[in-house]
Amino acid sequence: MSSTQPAVAVVVPVRNEAGNIAPLVAEIAAALDGQWPFEIVYVNDGSTDGTEAELQRLMAIHPFLRRVRHKQSCGQSAAVRTGVSAARAPVIVTIDGDGQNDPAFIPAMIRALEAGAPTVGLIAGQRLRRKGGFKRLQSRIANAVRGAVLRDGTRDTGCGLKAFRRDVYLRLPYFDALHRFMPALIKREGLAIGYVDVVDRVRGAGVSNYGMWDRLWVGILDLAGVWWLIRRRKRVPEVIEG
């Protein structure tokens, strides 16, 4: 990556993912190198393993790698919000830090976002051939309930791979689990959603740290709140200057 202002920032929320950081950083860099000036922003969400030491080691090697840190774990949505706020690029890509999302799909997602501008606000990854039977069942139930209530047209909102404009994201109402309701809230802003099919992989190392109970039961109140927000916004204003 050159020293120019980055065009793309890849935001990676992590908690206790020390063994997955170096391989994922290498894959992200390989996917973007020579295509867009980029930065990778890791958000260390209160890790208690060797995550911080590994990030410090890698930052000494890779000038494109940055790290911001939560003193205590605040959850995945908060980590994504922190990373997007810290990012310097106008285009954001989010990716899970466990290695299950394949960075090889990032260029296709960025190109889809660029091609759809300015009417497309989000490119959402849609996982094929998902790994992990219990997690797959949880997501299937949660997505079915969410889709029936919000009618956002998205079969898989839990995929960590998403591409969007930083300014659009920062004007969305923030709450815990926001990352699971982005398609509905982006549509609320009067913008369209694009989709890219991606392939789910086996976790590289460690165990799952996010998303066990928030897929459905903890998210019921959030689901009701998003439904209310959508109902309350009747028209997106068209602003004309002069």
Side-chain angles (χ1 to χ4, degrees), residues 171-185:
R171 69 176 185 246
L172 299 179
Y174 174 74
F175 55 93
D176 195 28
L178 165 63
H179 64 289
R180 297 190 180 279
F181 295 97
M182 279 187 66
L185 292 171

Side-chain angles (χ1 to χ4, degrees), residues 144-155:
V145 173
R146 187 212 70 257
V149 174
L150 301 183
R151 303 182 185 277
D152 58 13
T154 304
R155 65 173 172 81

Side-chain angles (χ1 to χ4, degrees), residues 134-146:
F134 182 53
K135 289 179 66 176
R136 184 169 63 247
L137 177 61
Q138 284 184 311
S139 292
R140 186 174 298 171
I141 295 171
N143 279 313
V145 173
R146 187 212 70 257

Side-chain angles (χ1 to χ4, degrees), residues 108-189:
M109 300 185 75
I110 297 171
R111 292 190 189 100
L113 185 66
E114 291 175 339
T119 59
V120 173
L122 169 69
I123 302 297
Q126 302 288 275
R127 291 169 289 188
L128 302 173
R129 302 189 298 276
R130 288 201 61 195
K131 309 298 182 184
F134 182 53
K135 289 179 66 176
R136 184 169 63 247
L137 177 61
Q138 284 184 311
S139 292
R140 186 174 298 171
I141 295 171
N143 279 313
V145 173
R146 187 212 70 257
V149 174
L150 301 183
R151 303 182 185 277
D152 58 13
T154 304
R155 65 173 172 81
D156 178 19
T157 64
C159 180
L161 270 171
K162 295 180 175 72
F164 48 87
R165 298 201 311 271
R166 181 177 182 271
D167 62 323
V168 170
Y169 174 89
L170 289 177
R171 69 176 185 246
L172 299 179
Y174 174 74
F175 55 93
D176 195 28
L178 165 63
H179 64 289
R180 297 190 180 279
F181 295 97
M182 279 187 66
L185 292 171
I186 291 288
K187 283 192 170 184
R188 179 179 180 265
E189 295 295 315

Side-chain angles (χ1 to χ4, degrees), residues 28-236:
I28 295 171
L32 292 174
D33 192 32
Q35 301 197 61
W36 296 273
F38 69 94
E39 63 179 358
I40 303 174
V41 182
Y42 264 75
V43 183
N44 179 2
D45 183 34
S47 296
T48 56
D49 67 345
T51 290
E52 184 64 19
E54 181 68 352
L55 286 170
Q56 294 291 343
R57 182 184 74 82
L58 291 169
M59 283 191 295
I61 301 171
H62 303 299
F64 54 74
L65 179 61
R66 299 171 57 205
R67 183 276 290 153
V68 289
R69 181 168 64 94
H70 291 167
K71 186 175 181 180
Q72 297 176 326
S73 178
C74 297
Q76 189 171 1
S77 282
V80 169
R81 179 81 173 189
T82 295
V84 174
S85 297
R88 298 177 296 155
V91 171
I92 304 292
V93 176
T94 60
I95 187 170
D96 288 345
D98 57 11
Q100 288 192 261
N101 299 150
D102 190 341
F105 293 98
I106 291 177
M109 300 185 75
I110 297 171
R111 292 190 189 100
L113 185 66
E114 291 175 339
T119 59
V120 173
L122 169 69
I123 302 297
Q126 302 288 275
R127 291 169 289 188
L128 302 173
R129 302 189 298 276
R130 288 201 61 195
K131 309 298 182 184
F134 182 53
K135 289 179 66 176
R136 184 169 63 247
L137 177 61
Q138 284 184 311
S139 292
R140 186 174 298 171
I141 295 171
N143 279 313
V145 173
R146 187 212 70 257
V149 174
L150 301 183
R151 303 182 185 277
D152 58 13
T154 304
R155 65 173 172 81
D156 178 19
T157 64
C159 180
L161 270 171
K162 295 180 175 72
F164 48 87
R165 298 201 311 271
R166 181 177 182 271
D167 62 323
V168 170
Y169 174 89
L170 289 177
R171 69 176 185 246
L172 299 179
Y174 174 74
F175 55 93
D176 195 28
L178 165 63
H179 64 289
R180 297 190 180 279
F181 295 97
M182 279 187 66
L185 292 171
I186 291 288
K187 283 192 170 184
R188 179 179 180 265
E189 295 295 315
L191 297 169
I193 313 297
Y195 302 98
V196 171
D197 286 337
V198 302
V199 177
D200 196 40
R201 307 190 296 188
V202 175
R203 160 181 276 278
V207 296
S208 178
N209 294 287
Y210 288 128
M212 203 59 173
W213 294 106
D214 64 349
R215 285 184 174 85
L216 179 57
W217 309 119
V218 177
I220 289 293
L221 288 177
D222 291 326
L223 180 62
V226 173
W227 176 84
W228 181 86
L229 284 170
I230 292 170
R231 295 270 297 179
R232 291 295 295 170
R233 184 150 198 176
K234 298 299 183 183
R235 182 176 297 170
V236 178

